[in-house]
Amino acid sequence: MRQSTNREPLVAELGKIAKAEPPSCTSEAWPSKSMHSEIVVQPAESVGRRIRTDVASVSPWSAPIIWEGTFDATLIDSIYKQQNLTIATTVFALGKYTRFIKGFLESAEHHYFVGFRVHFYLFTDQPKSVPEVKMGENRSLTVVKVQSLNRWQDISMNRMEKLEKLIENELAGEADYIFCLDVDTMFYGRWGAESLGRLVGVIHPWFFDAPRDQFTYERRPESLAYIPAGEGDYYYAGAAFGGTLEDVHTLTKTCREHLNIDAANSIEAVWQEESHLNKYFLLNKPSKLLSPEYMWRGINERAAAIKKVRFANVPKNYAEVRPNA
């Protein structure tokens, strides 16, 4: 491992990049709380860390893929904290999924963007069931009441519209980045500034080492989520995605429009909004990919490539928690 005892020149240079203004057309088209730009620290060797040779750390279109051992957490935090960022984070907890709120929020306090300003937005049909969770400095929670729905598929598909409207009506000028996460999860390790990017997708934990012909894309041409056999880059998890407000707004608006068109044509994509998310990422490549460390199968699941579990599903009986399972 190469020593990194003298990182000041690199920190200074990357600090200049971090403070650089994005193109004026972007800042005028979509107001953000502060000016910021994406920092790509690749290859990892450039910040004194060893490159992983057992996994791909760069996509075919040269976007970094973030794994344990491919970034310097201290360096990246020192750069991004200069920008005074706010990270908006959304979760949906309807019906019996309210039972997962406490574990999600409490674990986030220990691992999720620690030291950054984070504003959680919790969409729920049961505001009175939201438990009190002690939150640290610069961390806040807004509860948004939504109507109950009878099908878990409808809850899933309804997310894109809610996220689109939240960005339009609440977040413009208030936040810099947004992550959209599932609530039936917990954080077990660091999720920090290494994950920030213009458009961020998370590689699905069940397909990261599977051949492309096993990806569960929507295969019916009648759906706007359709991806033909032989096409596709990765299979992305619908349980976690993010990026800048502008880019996530475009993503959610497009997916919402396509979901509505499919509904008008009496077709529902095989994995609802996740299918449409995968189609969107096929046509609009993410600028950064997070490895399955950032959306793992479960804390007790093991795989050789996973050196650290950061965020994972919690065990549950889907037939019991989903309204129509």
Side-chain angles (χ1 to χ4, degrees), residues 213-241:
D213 61 6
Q214 293 184 14
F215 294 173
T216 54
Y217 293 144
E218 173 55 59
R219 299 301 192 186
R220 293 169 294 174
E222 297 81 7
S223 172
L224 289 178
Y226 170 63
I227 297 177
E231 294 188 18
D233 305 307
Y234 301 91
Y235 191 86
Y236 299 95
F241 60 91

Side-chain angles (χ1 to χ4, degrees), residues 12 26 31 40 43 46 49 70 81 115 120 135 153 216 278 320:
T26 300
V40 177
S46 65
R49 297 296 294 271
T70 65
K81 284 181 179 179
F120 294 97
M135 309 193 82
Q153 295 92 338
T216 54
N278 272 274
E320 193 267 328

Side-chain angles (χ1 to χ4, degrees), residues 84-125:
N84 192 32
L85 300 174
T86 297
I87 316 299
T89 304
T90 64
V91 289
F92 288 71
L94 279 73
K96 295 180 179 179
Y97 275 74
T98 55
R99 68 182 63 174
F100 302 113
I101 296 171
K102 186 176 180 64
F104 175 91
L105 290 175
E106 288 184 342
S107 63
E109 285 300 293
H110 294 287
H111 301 293
Y112 183 71
F113 283 104
V114 175
F116 287 83
R117 184 179 294 106
V118 178
H119 194 150
F120 294 97
Y121 293 84
L122 170 63
F123 294 81
T124 182
D125 57 346

Side-chain angles (χ1 to χ4, degrees), residues 279-304:
K279 179 62 174 287
Y280 186 87
F281 279 155
L282 175 62
L283 300 178
N284 304 270
K285 308 297 189 192
S287 64
K288 181 174 287 184
L289 284 71
L290 304 183
S291 72
E293 297 170 1
Y294 292 83
M295 187 61 254
W296 190 234
R297 307 165 186 170
I299 189 59
N300 294 319
E301 295 278 345
R302 295 289 180 264

Side-chain angles (χ1 to χ4, degrees), residues 44-186:
E45 222 174 26
S46 65
V47 289
R49 297 296 294 271
R50 182 180 298 145
I51 295 177
R52 291 274 296 269
T53 58
D54 60 324
V55 293
S57 58
V58 181
S59 76
W61 58 94
S62 300
I65 306 175
I66 308 303
W67 298 85
E68 174 68 9
T70 65
F71 64 92
D72 185 314
T74 302
L75 175 58
I76 290 176
D77 282 352
S78 70
I79 296 166
Y80 273 106
K81 284 181 179 179
Q82 298 177 36
Q83 299 184 50
N84 192 32
L85 300 174
T86 297
I87 316 299
T89 304
T90 64
V91 289
F92 288 71
L94 279 73
K96 295 180 179 179
Y97 275 74
T98 55
R99 68 182 63 174
F100 302 113
I101 296 171
K102 186 176 180 64
F104 175 91
L105 290 175
E106 288 184 342
S107 63
E109 285 300 293
H110 294 287
H111 301 293
Y112 183 71
F113 283 104
V114 175
F116 287 83
R117 184 179 294 106
V118 178
H119 194 150
F120 294 97
Y121 293 84
L122 170 63
F123 294 81
T124 182
D125 57 346
Q126 302 173 57
K128 293 183 180 179
S129 297
V130 177
E132 286 193 19
V133 174
K134 184 177 181 180
M135 309 193 82
E137 185 180 4
N138 293 323
R139 321 256 308 178
S140 57
L141 171 67
T142 295
V143 177
V144 182
K145 190 178 189 312
V146 294
Q147 71 179 57
S148 301
L149 295 169
N150 294 325
R151 298 172 69 242
W152 68 264
Q153 295 92 338
D154 292 332
I155 295 171
S156 173
M157 291 188 291
N158 194 246
R159 283 201 311 170
M160 291 298 184
E161 180 178 5
K162 291 290 189 289
L163 295 171
E164 176 191 358
K165 299 307 178 187
L166 176 71
I167 295 172
E168 289 177 358
N169 300 330
E170 302 289 339
L171 298 187
E174 298 297 324
D176 301 282
Y177 293 92
I178 180 170
F179 278 96
C180 311
L181 307 176
D182 274 7
V183 73
D184 53 332
T185 51
M186 286 182 64

